[in-house]
Amino acid sequence: MADLSKYRNIGIFAHVDAGKTTTTERILKLTGKIHKTGEVHDGESTTDFMEQEAERGITIQSAAVTCEWNGHRLNVIDTPGHVDFTVEVYRSLKVLDGGIGVFCGSGGVEPQSETNWRYANDSEVARLIFVNKLDRMGADFFNVVDQVKNVLGANPLVMTLPIGREDDFVGVVDVLNRKAYVWDETGLPENFEIQDVPADMVDDLEAYREELVETAVEQDDDLMEAYMEGEEPSIEDLKRCIRKGTRDLAFFPTFCGSAFKNKGMQLILDAVVDYLPAPDEVDPQPLTDPETGEPTGDVALVSADEPLKALAFKIMDDRFGALTFVRIYSGRLKKGDTILNSATGKTERIGRMCEMQADERNELTEAQAGDIIAIVGMKNVQTGHTLCDPKHECTLEAMIFPEPVISIAVTPKDKGGSEKMGIAIGKMVAEDPSFQVETDEESGETILKGMGELHLDIKVDILKRTYGVELEVGAPQVAYRETITQAVEDSYTHKKQSGGSGQFGKIDYRIRPGQPNSGFTFSSTVVGGNVPKEFWPAVEKGFASMMETGVLAGFPTLDVEVELFDGGFHAVDSSAIAYEIAAKGAFRQSMPKAGAQLLEPIMNVDVFTPEDNVGDVIGDLNRRRGMIKDQQAGTTGVRIKADVPLSEMFGYIGHLRTITSGRGQFSMEFGQYAPCPANVAEQVIAEVKERNEKK
């Protein structure tokens, strides 16, 4: 029976290229899990095991590894930094108890670190901060600490100070214990000496230590009183206070070092054990009502003696078959157990279970509350499903995933490829909920939808290499929408006589613009039975089915209210189908009168540029119909926030690199839909028309 207080489930998350994967590599090396460290830039790191990851030097999917440090078991998840894969970060944070936010010593708080930090705040995950790459040109630990305060609005608690800067960075000072850790030139993590603090740092150290102690004792009134009276708290008491404050998100213990050069990593592992919460110290996951999704007031207590409650948070297909990653919140799980999937109502038998070591696996016979494991060969489980004891059915809080904003049309290059493609895409959609697929009924084309150009680019690459499906890819398409701008009152009669009983349905209705983001709403105010109540759903169904294809260019229609206020009915000829057909005819008749308008997705764009190029970047964003929202000067450049239509952002990264000599970066996420200017709308409608004629 494992001791839960010795468990730590942690994630490592950060902006692209801040050093997450390298940090994970060093943790594995230090804890004896691997004996040779693989470097990201050589494509050899443990957790980036996909070919696409090794080549591009980025993390695409989160990988799980398990290791031990000071008698504690650490389940570590390395997450991607790129904005197109934030779904991986989001779902990993959902099942973790703590995290390490890695920031680059020279880049500081970058756009993507903000998004990930926001996700972590939403999930209320306790975090340590690790300022990495302090050996790099322009690295400045104290500047990053200020950015954490100002940009993230967080409270960093400085636990270590750097000794030396850039090339002269040799080690760190442990503020709590007043000790200096200095590494030699060999680059080996174990080759360090504990020395006295350098004389020129003593004043700084004492100032930071005083701040640390004052912040820590706020967590304990008795200690605070004693401290006010001049009594110095013991190291144990301070650690206990820091642990409590970290768990309550009052502050974030902040460390510094260089993962690549192996400096400062031991102190972070000690901090994970000392300050991040064990599974049973975190607020337990709420249970929800499966119908409404509302919390029921019950929670999944983290204890091995409770009935089983577990969440499937990721599905992965590897060379051994389908793997379902599961976080167990309550109870135990043994090989051969039968469990219930509360989302589908079906039971499944647990075959093989394993502990993941990136893409290696160690078989398990049982697991318990607090564990993160993978189950092999589950049939109908999807991301976000709850697995529970069949006698105690429950539903854990579901995961919400962002809607895709960009799509491409693909066709297999050879005839035999379409069946292979269908099977492969089915597996990929199960793995990544932000990746969606649909078939264009008119053209028979397959449409892939995703979060950005890189996201879809990598999906096409995986289809080619992993599944051997060569695709021809069309130009990216924007997910436009349609809406209306005027209210219309109208009437429509559907009448058909064909020997015997006919069809009859007459409806009088009002169509008007709805509230933003309201979708489609239907109401009926018919009195006196002119349209019998049992036919109202048929009228609603008729209108709803037409919302998928708008009258301008066939895009889905948003934010429309339909009110049925009168009509007519025939005792013999009226039927549900007659009213449904009437509603469809009414839609076609009235929508063009209601001032139909095209909407386009507007992205929140965050651009980072060197100061010399600010004018060019802003000018370029304006040309792309962008609205500049904010400008902030930092030490290494300027951040520009703008709202820009997605259709103007294709290929932007190449253009930005040209303007900024390769130094610019940007990230974007979906903001809202907004009306298209008339000239753009005309062009889009003409293109759709032309495409349809070709079909």
Side-chain angles (χ1 to χ4, degrees):
M1 176 69 194
D3 176 358
L4 274 179
S5 67
K6 298 271 193 272
Y7 272 60
R8 298 288 180 274
N9 290 320
I10 61 166
I12 295 184
F13 56 94
H15 184 86
V16 177
D17 216 20
K20 297 175 297 299
T21 301
T22 307
T23 303
T24 309
E25 242 353 72
R26 296 306 181 261
I27 288 175
L28 293 179
K29 173 78 168 67
L30 275 173
T31 55
K33 270 290 176 182
I34 54 173
H35 300 294
K36 169 186 176 292
T37 47
E39 298 309 343
V40 174
H41 49 77
D42 298 334
E44 286 178 354
S45 68
T46 310
T47 50
D48 283 359
F49 52 82
M50 289 168 65
E51 288 174 39
Q52 290 82 358
E53 294 179 309
E55 271 175 28
R56 296 169 195 245
I58 61 169
T59 304
I60 293 167
Q61 55 177 25
S62 39
V65 287
T66 302
C67 52
E68 292 211 349
W69 182 256
N70 286 356
H72 287 65
R73 173 194 170 104
L74 313 183
N75 290 321
V76 185
I77 294 188
D78 173 29
T79 64
H82 197 285
V83 67
D84 286 11
F85 309 105
T86 42
V87 59
E88 287 285 346
V89 181
Y90 173 77
R91 64 172 163 200
S92 301
L93 282 167
K94 177 93 180 137
V95 298
L96 294 167
D97 307 320
I100 302 174
V102 182
F103 296 98
C104 170
S106 57
V109 176
E110 294 165 285
Q112 196 51 44
S113 12
E114 269 189 75
T115 304
N116 291 342
W117 194 263
R118 198 171 66 236
Y119 280 156
N121 283 344
D122 292 347
S123 302
E124 296 183 357
V125 171
R127 278 149 282 169
L128 305 176
I129 292 173
F130 174 45
V131 180
N132 189 17
K133 301 195 177 185
L134 285 185
D135 53 326
R136 278 180 61 164
M137 283 293 290
D140 182 341
F141 173 67
F142 302 101
N143 180 39
V144 180
V145 170
D146 285 344
Q147 284 187 331
V148 168
K149 286 180 195 163
N150 301 331
V151 179
L152 300 179
N155 184 9
L157 184 68
V158 175
M159 303 293 292
T160 59
L161 299 171
I163 305 173
R165 291 185 64 154
E166 299 177 358
D167 286 348
D168 302 327
F169 173 68
V170 291
V172 299
V173 170
D174 176 351
V175 176
L176 194 60
N177 294 306
R178 297 187 171 97
K179 290 270 186 287
Y181 289 72
V182 178
W183 278 263
D184 64 17
E185 286 310 300
T186 58
L188 292 170
E190 50 276 8
N191 288 10
F192 66 89
E193 279 182 14
I194 297 182
Q195 303 174 352
D196 290 335
V197 176
D200 60 347
M201 288 184 69
V202 171
D203 292 349
D204 274 355
L205 164 72
E206 289 308 320
Y208 275 100
R209 194 171 194 282
E210 191 177 330
E211 198 178 304
L212 188 154
V213 174
E214 282 173 8
T215 309
V217 294
E218 282 174 9
Q219 301 295 318
D220 183 320
D221 293 346
D222 297 345
L223 273 183
M224 188 156 168
E225 270 182 45
Y227 178 66
M228 293 295 201
E229 286 163 17
E231 197 179 310
E232 178 76 6
S234 70
I235 298 281
E236 277 62 47
D237 281 340
L238 284 172
K239 280 188 169 179
R240 183 171 50 77
C241 287
I242 296 170
R243 184 180 181 88
K244 179 177 182 296
T246 305
R247 195 199 71 199
D248 297 343
L249 308 185
F251 47 74
F252 304 93
T254 301
F255 295 82
C256 60
S258 161
F260 182 53
K261 296 278 173 63
N262 285 311
K263 292 174 182 164
M265 299 306 297
Q266 286 91 334
L267 288 104
I268 291 177
L269 282 170
D270 289 343
V272 167
V273 167
D274 288 343
Y275 307 129
L276 287 180
D280 54 358
E281 292 175 312
V282 182
D283 289 344
Q285 283 283 323
L287 298 179
T288 56
D289 181 309
E291 298 297 311
T292 61
E294 293 298 315
T296 58
D298 290 332
V299 294
L301 277 179
V302 179
S303 155
D305 304 324
E306 289 273 307
L308 175 74
K309 297 178 188 68
L311 186 73
F313 68 96
K314 177 178 165 68
I315 288 164
M316 197 171 103
D317 212 65
D318 74 358
R319 58 185 189 273
F320 306 110
L323 285 176
T324 304
F325 282 80
V326 173
R327 162 75 200 258
I328 303 175
Y329 288 108
S330 309
R332 289 189 176 80
L333 191 57
K334 293 191 179 69
K335 203 170 159 173
D337 279 359
T338 298
I339 52 121
L340 172 71
N341 175 348
S342 65
T344 59
K346 295 195 168 91
T347 53
E348 286 199 43
R349 195 163 168 278
I350 300 289
R352 291 164 55 208
M353 303 193 305
C354 47
E355 169 190 292
M356 290 307 292
Q357 207 51 43
D359 57 346
E360 302 287 316
R361 38 170 86 176
N362 307 326
E363 295 277 333
L364 299 171
T365 50
E366 70 168 317
Q368 61 152 29
D371 278 330
I372 293 179
I373 58 158
I375 301 174
V376 185
M378 296 194 91
K379 297 283 186 299
N380 300 311
V381 177
Q382 289 176 0
T383 300
H385 282 182
T386 301
L387 310 179
C388 56
D389 181 333
K391 295 193 195 72
H392 299 89
E393 187 173 342
C394 66
T395 305
L396 287 156
E397 194 176 50
M399 297 177 164
I400 302 152
F401 296 110
E403 284 294 309
V405 289
I406 174 173
S407 62
I408 49 174
V410 295
T411 42
K413 282 191 176 163
D414 50 57
K415 286 277 187 288
S418 58
E419 191 177 330
K420 245 164 73 177
M421 178 177 82
I423 295 167
I425 286 178
K427 290 180 177 174
M428 288 162 66
V429 170
E431 288 179 15
D432 179 355
S434 64
F435 173 58
Q436 294 176 8
V437 177
E438 61 182 44
T439 306
D440 184 324
E441 285 169 13
E442 288 172 10
S443 67
E445 283 180 324
T446 301
I447 311 286
L448 306 184
K449 299 178 165 189
M451 303 307 297
E453 286 179 278
L454 178 67
H455 191 198
L456 292 179
D457 191 21
I458 282 177
K459 296 298 179 197
V460 170
D461 199 34
I462 292 173
L463 278 166
K464 178 176 160 184
R465 286 206 235 173
T466 312
Y467 298 104
V469 182
E470 290 268 354
L471 294 177
E472 284 184 7
V473 180
Q477 300 297 326
V478 177
Y480 290 100
R481 295 285 182 266
E482 298 182 18
T483 190
I484 53 170
T485 52
Q486 295 154 17
V488 173
E489 190 172 298
D490 216 339
S491 174
Y492 189 89
T493 307
H494 170 66
K495 204 158 119 193
K496 193 174 177 192
Q497 207 61 42
S498 55
S501 66
Q503 289 180 352
F504 179 84
K506 174 175 187 287
I507 53 173
D508 296 344
Y509 53 90
R510 296 183 187 98
I511 293 180
R512 53 180 166 258
Q515 292 297 320
N517 301 324
S518 62
F520 165 64
T521 48
F522 176 82
S523 59
S524 173
T525 52
V526 178
V527 287
N530 288 350
V531 177
K533 213 170 190 155
E534 65 265 30
F535 297 137
W536 295 356
V539 177
E540 179 175 2
K541 187 179 166 195
F543 275 112
S545 66
M546 297 298 283
M547 290 290 156
E548 281 306 301
T549 46
V551 291
L552 281 176
F555 293 109
T557 307
L558 294 184
D559 307 339
V560 173
E561 286 179 17
V562 175
E563 179 198 348
L564 175 68
F565 68 88
D566 205 354
F569 134 89
H570 187 283
V572 178
D573 291 356
S574 285
S575 63
I577 193 83
Y579 280 104
E580 193 179 323
I581 295 169
K584 288 178 176 176
F587 181 92
R588 282 191 289 267
Q589 170 181 295
S590 304
M591 286 305 262
K593 303 177 191 173
Q597 184 180 49
L598 203 62
L599 300 174
E600 61 182 349
I602 305 292
M603 308 301 280
N604 301 334
V605 179
D606 202 330
V607 187
F608 176 84
T609 163
E611 261 178 44
D612 308 351
N613 311 110
V614 173
D616 297 342
V617 170
I618 289 181
D620 181 57
L621 287 170
N622 286 333
R623 271 194 298 284
R624 293 170 189 270
R625 300 193 283 123
M627 289 269 299
I628 308 296
K629 283 290 178 64
D630 190 21
Q631 248 175 283
Q632 296 165 355
T635 43
T636 51
V638 178
R639 285 183 60 185
I640 301 163
K641 293 191 176 188
D643 289 352
V644 192
L646 174 64
S647 58
E648 304 287 346
M649 290 299 290
F650 291 132
Y652 180 64
I653 186 66
H655 196 75
L656 178 66
R657 282 181 184 149
T658 310
I659 316 180
T660 60
S661 321
R663 290 164 64 205
Q665 283 181 330
F666 89 104
S667 71
M668 64 177 181
E669 51 190 356
F670 173 68
Q672 72 280 344
Y673 276 100
C676 257
N679 59 334
V680 177
E682 279 165 24
Q683 197 180 340
V684 172
I685 293 165
E687 281 171 13
V688 170
K689 206 168 172 184
E690 193 181 316
R691 270 209 307 275
N692 290 343
E693 278 165 6
K694 278 184 187 165
K695 292 171 188 173

